[in-house]
Amino acid sequence: MAGPADEHRLIAGVFTERVRGVASDDWERPAPCAGWVARDVVGHLVEWFPGFLHAGAGVELPKGPPVAEDPVAAWAVHSDGVQALLDDPATAGKVLRNPNIGEMPLDQAVAMFYTSDVFMHTWDLARATGQDERLDPQRCAAMLEGMLPMDAALRSSGHYGPRVGVPDDADPQTRLLAFIGRTP
């Protein structure tokens, strides 16, 4: 099984392809997240995670240009900074402390909270900009299996919309997206 650094490299790599694939006039196209446009999907990932890392582990990520000015460069600087953090052997000994989750090895916290967010938002950016929307079905199934027992907590966090109904025999991607409140 791949570790957090390799998982991020793979998942962020796919997201990077989608970011680079956005036509310059498509950044303002509506995204599946209510009230968001394509640019906001990148902005969300670039903006929430640095504060989470700083507050929980004292880690500072490099800052790129504002997403409003250059979403491609903003994502590249951010993603490269996260990858460098995960590739650094010293990261394995660091701990993230958070009042909501307690203490967790930093690399595992990045994988659980951030890399999984990048994975799910890959679909949002692809859908908003007319790109390939396919996600890895095995990862979709594994994420859904891990999230199902936390349904009430996830809904109460405000980060997920209401479940969308899909047939019981829907594919793993459709079931995951419906679970997090997207209409696949």
Side-chain angles (χ1 to χ4, degrees):
M1 182 170 174
D6 290 334
E7 283 186 357
H8 180 267
R9 187 173 289 105
L10 176 67
I11 290 169
V14 173
F15 190 81
T16 298
E17 289 173 12
R18 299 303 175 273
V19 169
R20 291 180 180 156
V22 177
S24 60
D25 57 343
D26 285 347
W27 284 107
E28 300 307 315
R29 288 179 62 180
C33 306
W36 284 14
V37 296
R39 181 183 313 274
D40 297 327
V41 176
V42 175
H44 164 72
L45 295 169
V46 168
E47 293 163 4
W48 80 264
F49 192 58
F52 179 78
L53 280 180
H54 179 73
V59 171
E60 292 286 336
L61 290 176
K63 292 185 185 219
V67 173
E69 292 176 17
D70 189 345
V72 177
W75 171 253
V77 170
H78 173 77
S79 181
D80 290 350
V82 174
Q83 192 62 55
L85 173 69
L86 292 170
D87 286 339
D88 183 345
T91 298
K94 293 183 179 180
V95 172
L96 182 128
R97 292 170 180 81
N98 181 287
N100 298 313
I101 61 170
E103 291 187 5
M104 175 180 275
L106 179 57
D107 58 350
Q108 290 177 20
V110 171
M112 179 181 284
F113 297 103
Y114 174 75
T115 305
S116 62
D117 203 32
V118 174
F119 179 76
M120 291 184 285
H121 285 302
T122 298
W123 183 84
D124 294 323
L125 185 61
R127 172 61 61 105
T129 58
Q131 297 185 67
D132 183 358
E133 298 177 6
R134 290 174 295 169
L135 300 174
D136 177 270
Q138 292 173 321
R139 183 171 300 281
C140 287
M143 284 183 69
L144 180 59
E145 183 178 326
M147 294 170 84
L148 283 170
M150 301 182 294
D151 189 7
L154 293 172
R155 300 276 167 242
S156 67
S157 74
H159 296 291
Y160 299 91
R163 271 182 157 183
V164 174
V166 295
D168 291 340
D169 63 348
D171 64 84
Q173 177 174 319
T174 299
R175 290 193 325 266
L176 174 65
L177 292 169
F179 179 82
I180 64 171
R182 305 296 194 273
T183 303

